[in-house]
Amino acid sequence: MTLQQLRYALALQDHSSFKLASQKLNISQPALSIQIQKLEEEIGLTLFDRSSGPVSTTSEGKLFLIRAEELVTGASDLKSYSNNLKSDFSGKFKIGVIPTLAPFLVPLFIDHLQNEHPQIELDFFEMTTNNVIDGVRKGELDTGLIATPVNVYGIESTAIFYEKFFFYSSTPIPFNQEILIKNLDYDQLWLLNEGNCFRDQINNFCDLNKIRKGKRFIYRSNSIDALIRIVDVKGGMTILPELTTLSLSSEQEENISPIGKKAREIGIINRKNNARKRFADSLIQSIQKNIPSGMLTSKGLEVVDPEIVMD
């Protein structure tokens, strides 16, 4: 069994096609097929079902390739291990960030982080939660910033801060007035598109089945900024995480109301035994120094679990 064979198997799993996988690997299809067959014979398992296209991973194959992915990414981590031992970080650091967080968080800490580590190249990717987790697990990303905790094999998470949830309305809300969820008019509520982790958390305390029922105008958005503008133009309300409210105008700030004590936990995810974890720790410190201090504790808050589970 070789690392090369494991990389070949992981590529086939990703592309579900010998043709596409061989093109990605820049080898011939017969060469790829021979190496996969040798690997399966050596370990005594059938990793892939070839009976009908596209090629699919067997149940045993999925479990085996999770461990194989750890070995491949671990070998890749060795290349950056020497940089991690130096007092000054250098090289490129790839960070995945979910869309409901990236435009509101990154501007708060990026200058501080670059001043602390001028030799590092920071490459941010705005991605969905599942893609961030998948990228970190495969070693395509060094770390990720998402709503945590997560229950994913090979991934560990560390809480950084907590964001409360707020209603944002098209009209001013009396100071300190709390809008009760049980009294919510779902006809007037705008939310992010399906598949968004923030939306899934909202599903824990709102009945999303009622949101779009009977509406003559539906706006399927992946942008919180877009929802704010829709509310301003079409009326109604939406739900915002706390950092979003920091960029509102003074007039718009009059249109927000807290949703009880509900909040989400924002954390950093890494592969276990990540060779670049020391820089990830510096990233945590930089974030915590540049967000409102009241967001650093969950005391008195009802933290909503994003319920992220992946194979």
Side-chain angles (χ1 to χ4, degrees):
M1 184 192 312
T2 66
L3 282 173
Q4 185 181 61
Q5 288 174 331
L6 296 181
R7 291 190 182 98
Y8 287 175
L10 289 169
L12 182 55
Q13 177 180 240
D14 287 343
H15 295 283
S16 301
S17 162
F18 278 94
K19 179 180 180 181
L20 294 178
S22 62
Q23 289 175 348
K24 178 68 175 180
L25 295 165
N26 198 27
I27 61 173
S28 68
Q29 284 184 239
L32 174 60
S33 180
I34 289 172
Q35 291 302 317
I36 296 296
Q37 185 176 350
K38 285 183 177 180
L39 175 61
E40 289 179 325
E41 289 174 353
E42 181 175 351
I43 63 176
L45 291 175
T46 300
L47 299 177
F48 299 98
D49 182 358
R50 305 165 176 79
S51 60
S52 60
V55 177
S56 60
T57 311
T58 64
S59 56
E60 297 87 355
K62 287 180 180 178
L63 296 175
F64 177 84
L65 291 176
I66 287 174
R67 296 300 301 272
E69 195 169 65
E70 287 183 346
L71 291 173
V72 171
T73 54
S76 178
D77 282 344
L78 287 175
K79 296 179 181 179
S80 61
Y81 188 66
S82 59
N83 280 336
N84 189 59
L85 294 177
K86 298 176 182 177
S87 57
D88 294 328
F89 296 107
S90 61
K92 179 175 285 191
F93 198 82
K94 298 180 180 180
I95 307 167
V97 194
I98 54 175
T100 57
L101 187 63
F104 311 104
L105 176 62
V106 175
L108 295 181
F109 71 85
I110 188 61
D111 285 345
H112 178 272
L113 187 62
Q114 287 187 305
N115 289 335
E116 289 285 309
H117 306 291
Q119 302 303 317
I120 201 80
E121 295 178 46
L122 297 170
D123 198 351
F124 286 90
F125 297 80
E126 193 171 307
M127 309 167 74
T128 63
T129 296
N130 284 1
N131 285 340
V132 173
I133 294 173
D134 200 42
V136 171
R137 192 162 59 177
K138 290 180 178 179
E140 296 167 356
L141 297 172
D142 293 297
T143 193
L145 297 170
I146 64 173
T148 52
V150 297
N151 182 15
V152 178
Y153 181 82
I155 293 291
E156 57 185 13
S157 66
T158 303
I160 303 177
F161 63 93
Y162 302 86
E163 281 191 288
K164 290 182 286 188
F165 292 105
F166 289 83
F167 281 118
Y168 176 74
S169 174
S170 58
T171 57
I173 300 172
F175 183 70
N176 281 341
Q177 175 183 327
E178 181 180 342
I179 299 175
L180 299 178
I181 294 174
K182 65 179 182 180
N183 297 331
L184 194 61
D185 183 357
Y186 286 100
D187 289 338
Q188 297 296 311
L189 186 62
W190 305 90
L191 291 181
L192 293 174
N193 205 12
E194 288 87 348
N196 184 286
C197 179
F198 178 64
R199 179 190 169 98
D200 293 340
Q201 284 179 296
I202 293 171
N203 194 27
N204 286 341
F205 55 89
C206 285
D207 185 357
L208 298 189
N209 292 325
K210 299 179 181 178
I211 300 297
R212 291 176 177 163
K213 187 176 181 180
K215 279 192 175 181
R216 294 177 57 243
F217 173 62
I218 296 174
Y219 189 78
R220 301 178 186 270
S221 176
N222 292 311
S223 164
I224 287 182
D225 277 332
L227 288 182
I228 291 174
R229 295 190 181 194
I230 285 292
V231 169
D232 288 343
V233 172
K234 295 292 293 182
M237 62 178 56
T238 189
I239 296 175
L240 306 178
E242 189 169 358
L243 281 183
T244 313
T245 66
L246 300 182
S247 61
L248 296 176
S249 68
S250 56
E251 291 82 6
Q252 289 174 318
E253 287 178 351
E254 297 179 2
N255 300 0
I256 62 174
S257 170
I259 305 178
K261 299 295 183 180
K262 295 187 181 296
R264 67 173 179 173
E265 176 185 287
I266 298 298
I268 191 168
I269 61 169
N270 292 288
R271 294 184 303 281
K272 292 182 178 179
N273 302 316
N274 184 358
R276 308 192 76 182
K277 186 178 183 300
R278 203 157 61 91
F279 182 79
D281 291 339
S282 291
L283 176 60
I284 293 174
Q285 293 171 15
S286 186
I287 291 173
Q288 291 181 330
K289 287 179 180 178
N290 290 279
I291 61 170
S293 59
M295 299 178 70
L296 298 178
T297 177
S298 62
K299 185 177 181 179
L301 298 177
E302 181 185 339
V303 179
V304 180
D305 192 332
E307 298 180 0
I308 301 169
V309 179
M310 293 173 60
D311 293 331

